[in-house]
Amino acid sequence: MSNLTSENKAGLEHSPPQLKRELNLTGAVVMSAGLVIGVGLFTVSTNAVGFLGPSLLLGNLIALVVSVLTSLVYAELAAAWPFSGGSYAYAYESWGKYGPFAGFMMSMTIIGIYFAVGAEALAFANYFLSTVDFLGIWNVLQGGEIPFGTASVIASLLILVYTVVNWRGTKEVGLSQKVIMFSMWAMMAISIIVAAFTTIDFSNYHPFIPTWFDPGMFPLAATLIWWAYAGQEVIGTMGEEIEHPTVNIPRALILVPFVVFAVTTTMQWAIVGIIPDVRILQDAGAPFALALKAAGVGSIIFILFMLAEFLGNFSTVNPILMGGSRVLFALGRDGYLPPIIGKLSKRSVPGLAVWIYGISVIILVITKGLLYLAQFTAFLLLFLYGFIALTVIVARFTRPEVNRPFKTPLFPLIPLLVIAFAVWMVLSLPAEVIVSAFIWLGSTTVFFLIWINLPWGKEEREKSKYFRVESSLPPEPNKEEKEKLDQEFRGFSIKLGVVIFVCLIFYGITYILG
């Protein structure tokens, strides 16, 4: 069944430039996991351990369930419309005559969310400087206190480096991401094993629910942990660069939350075991550094943890920059931003979009702080998830003819659960955060209403009616290709299942021994 209207089929000759599909299932999972396993794990999520203690497992299970539900919603739309821009493309296709406006608003929401890359870069810089200070390196080189603003300089350089990497092409991005992620996980595993045999106290895991536990704080703690799971939607944003997207995208979306669960639960399990009172982590700016100092671990373990932390934050910058530039590219290609932004370079990369986004983030890093960027993106992320869940419901009625290689199960229950969760979370945010986010959305609405009536981009907007043309959809995998895809998926799932099983077994053993 075709995903096109008869009008779109008539416009095949208008097909705009398309990106190359070079990411397989593993590449898509690693790219998205690199986005999620970063500042969330090493800051926000570990703060939550200070509220939960050993019962952190319950918070992680809630976060896992919510993340999987969100992935199931995204998977239906991403498999039907695997194009650059992700949520922009889904809204554009699903909302009928309001599609251009809905798509534009979704894209600006995503761009606002992806400005969190500035927070990721600043977190990396802060941890780096904390380690330099802890090891006394700064005193040896310069002496005195580290000057104010040094973190912003380091973060800006990090953004600049990855802007160049993204500009060079997807293969370079995917390769560097895999190297970073697997190096980080290796150092985490080594440091945790060493810590387990040297500093972990099994009595810290008992009782499962601490005597000081405040039930009223559980929703906040679970929310903080969930925030560390958010981000798998980047797979949809890069949908035009994933091989066999109708098969790989849904599978990648579902696998990512389980990867995050395995890594996050393991790291938090170790933290509970090495410090007597985890409540010191509740308000810590660099909780892992504080935990290691409190535990009195050796310098080797400290350095391994910090290196893993650096790589975690470092890896998050990569896919966010890539995703944000692809949204700009899609808007320019469709004429809703200056059309030159929608052009591809000789490397088949949206070069101008990459540089515009990278420079914009550097400006934010210099002028705004980490806390502001984190709070600003919280509302936009929840708004995005709720709207996409609503879009799945709307698309079933407005586009019933669309071929859906993957359908959200238990429809419409799962989309409604995602919407309910998003509303509950939004209402828990401070009023000033909601106001600032609405200012962003309001100003982009005004821009849309003005730009749509200007002469520039009209030709591209006309072509965008045929943007998602059948010729741009890759052919379905043949029998041999499907077998290879199934084998890759089974292999990844089995390995991941074994890792999670081992993690849970160790968690249970430590509780029993305590």
Side-chain angles (χ1 to χ4, degrees):
M1 184 181 295
S2 172
N3 287 14
L4 304 172
T5 63
S6 58
E7 179 186 13
N8 285 350
K9 288 182 179 179
L12 290 177
E13 67 274 11
H14 296 286
S15 181
Q18 299 161 29
L19 300 169
K20 291 184 178 181
R21 297 189 181 276
E22 298 178 329
L23 291 174
N24 59 11
L25 175 65
T26 302
V29 171
V30 170
M31 186 70 69
S32 183
L35 166 65
V36 179
I37 304 173
V39 69
L41 170 60
F42 295 120
T43 57
V44 175
S45 182
T46 307
N47 290 142
V49 176
F51 296 102
L52 298 178
S55 63
L56 64 92
L57 181 61
L58 297 179
N60 275 280
L61 288 173
I62 291 175
L64 175 64
V65 169
V66 173
S67 296
V68 170
L69 292 178
T70 305
S71 291
L72 292 173
V73 168
Y74 260 97
E76 176 171 329
L77 298 174
W81 294 295
F83 305 101
S84 184
S87 301
Y88 158 67
Y90 315 149
Y92 186 103
E93 286 290 342
S94 301
W95 285 86
K97 65 179 181 179
Y98 302 107
F101 175 70
F104 182 82
M105 291 306 298
M106 283 297 92
S107 63
M108 298 311 294
T109 301
I110 294 172
I111 288 173
I113 292 170
Y114 285 176
F115 281 146
V117 68
E120 311 286 352
L122 285 167
F124 167 82
N126 287 336
Y127 265 106
F128 176 78
L129 291 176
S130 295
T131 304
V132 168
D133 184 58
F134 177 79
L135 298 177
I137 297 175
W138 184 265
N139 287 330
V140 174
L141 296 177
Q142 297 289 337
E145 296 184 356
I146 298 175
F148 176 79
T150 303
S152 296
V153 174
I154 295 174
S156 298
L157 290 174
L158 178 61
I159 296 293
L160 180 61
V161 168
Y162 257 128
T163 298
V164 174
V165 172
N166 273 271
W167 172 70
R168 290 185 57 83
T170 305
K171 283 186 176 180
E172 284 78 1
V173 173
L175 177 61
S176 63
Q177 188 70 11
K178 290 179 182 179
V179 171
I180 290 171
M181 290 303 299
F182 288 123
S183 298
M184 179 188 75
W185 292 338
M187 281 185 285
M188 281 183 180
I190 293 172
S191 57
I192 288 173
I193 290 173
V194 173
F197 285 99
T198 56
T199 60
I200 284 183
D201 183 354
F202 292 118
S203 65
N204 292 349
Y205 295 102
H206 193 83
F208 182 72
I209 299 179
T211 55
W212 46 261
F213 175 75
D214 181 1
M217 295 302 297
F218 184 78
L220 173 61
T223 299
L224 293 176
I225 292 178
W226 167 82
W227 179 252
Y229 280 67
Q232 68 267 35
E233 72 278 355
V234 74
I235 294 174
T237 303
M238 299 183 300
E240 200 167 326
E241 297 167 89
I242 296 176
E243 298 173 345
H244 303 297
T246 58
V247 177
N248 281 333
I249 289 179
R251 291 176 174 180
L253 282 165
I254 294 170
L255 285 173
V256 167
F258 290 95
V259 174
V260 179
F261 176 81
V263 176
T264 301
T265 304
T266 301
M267 291 296 291
Q268 293 177 348
W269 165 84
I271 287 297
V272 170
I274 65 176
I275 54 177
D277 189 354
V278 295
R279 286 175 288 183
I280 65 173
L281 303 176
Q282 293 177 0
D283 300 315
F288 264 85
L290 179 61
L292 293 172
K293 292 176 183 177
V297 298
S299 58
I300 295 178
I301 298 177
F302 180 87
I303 292 174
L304 282 174
F305 262 101
M306 290 302 101
L307 285 175
E309 214 156 13
F310 297 155
L311 290 175
N313 288 326
F314 193 76
S315 69
T316 312
V317 173
N318 189 9
I320 300 182
L321 277 176
M322 185 177 181
S325 65
R326 268 48 177 186
V327 178
L328 286 177
F329 163 76
L331 285 174
R333 180 173 62 180
D334 278 14
Y336 295 102
L337 286 177
I340 192 173
I341 298 176
K343 304 296 183 182
L344 294 177
S345 68
K346 294 180 180 179
R347 299 174 180 270
S348 295
V349 172
L352 182 58
V354 168
W355 280 106
I356 289 175
Y357 200 75
I359 292 172
S360 299
V361 173
I362 289 174
I363 293 173
L364 283 173
V365 165
I366 294 173
T367 60
K368 300 293 183 180
L370 190 155
L371 181 60
Y372 171 85
L373 291 171
Q375 290 178 337
F376 176 74
T377 58
F379 175 92
L380 295 178
L381 187 60
L382 292 166
F383 177 77
L384 172 70
Y385 287 174
F387 190 87
I388 288 301
L390 179 62
T391 297
V392 168
I393 298 174
V394 170
R396 290 284 185 100
F397 295 96
T398 60
R399 299 298 303 277
E401 82 286 357
V402 167
N403 178 34
R404 291 172 168 81
F406 179 92
K407 286 189 175 182
T408 302
L410 300 178
F411 180 87
L413 177 60
I414 288 180
L416 290 175
L417 286 174
V418 174
I419 293 172
F421 170 77
V423 171
W424 176 68
M425 290 293 295
V426 164
L427 294 177
S428 69
L429 293 173
E432 59 270 23
V433 171
I434 298 176
V435 170
S436 62
F438 271 115
I439 290 175
W440 168 260
L441 295 174
S443 61
T444 55
T445 300
V446 172
F447 172 85
F448 176 86
L449 296 176
I450 294 174
W451 177 261
I452 203 72
N453 292 300
L454 296 176
W456 303 290
K458 281 190 175 181
E459 180 180 353
E460 283 73 19
R461 288 194 291 274
E462 182 65 24
K463 290 180 180 180
S464 72
K465 295 179 181 179
Y466 319 111
F467 164 42
R468 294 151 195 83
V469 295
E470 200 155 294
S471 61
S472 68
L473 282 171
E476 291 291 325
N478 57 38
K479 183 178 180 180
E480 183 179 351
E481 290 173 333
K482 184 64 165 57
E483 290 177 355
K484 289 182 179 180
L485 294 175
D486 291 342
Q487 184 178 5
E488 182 184 16
F489 177 65
R490 284 194 300 270
F492 198 108
S493 299
I494 291 173
K495 293 175 185 176
L496 181 59
V498 170
V499 171
I500 293 176
F501 178 75
V502 171
C503 291
L504 294 177
I505 289 296
F506 271 108
Y507 196 95
I509 291 175
T510 53
Y511 175 72
I512 294 173
L513 292 177

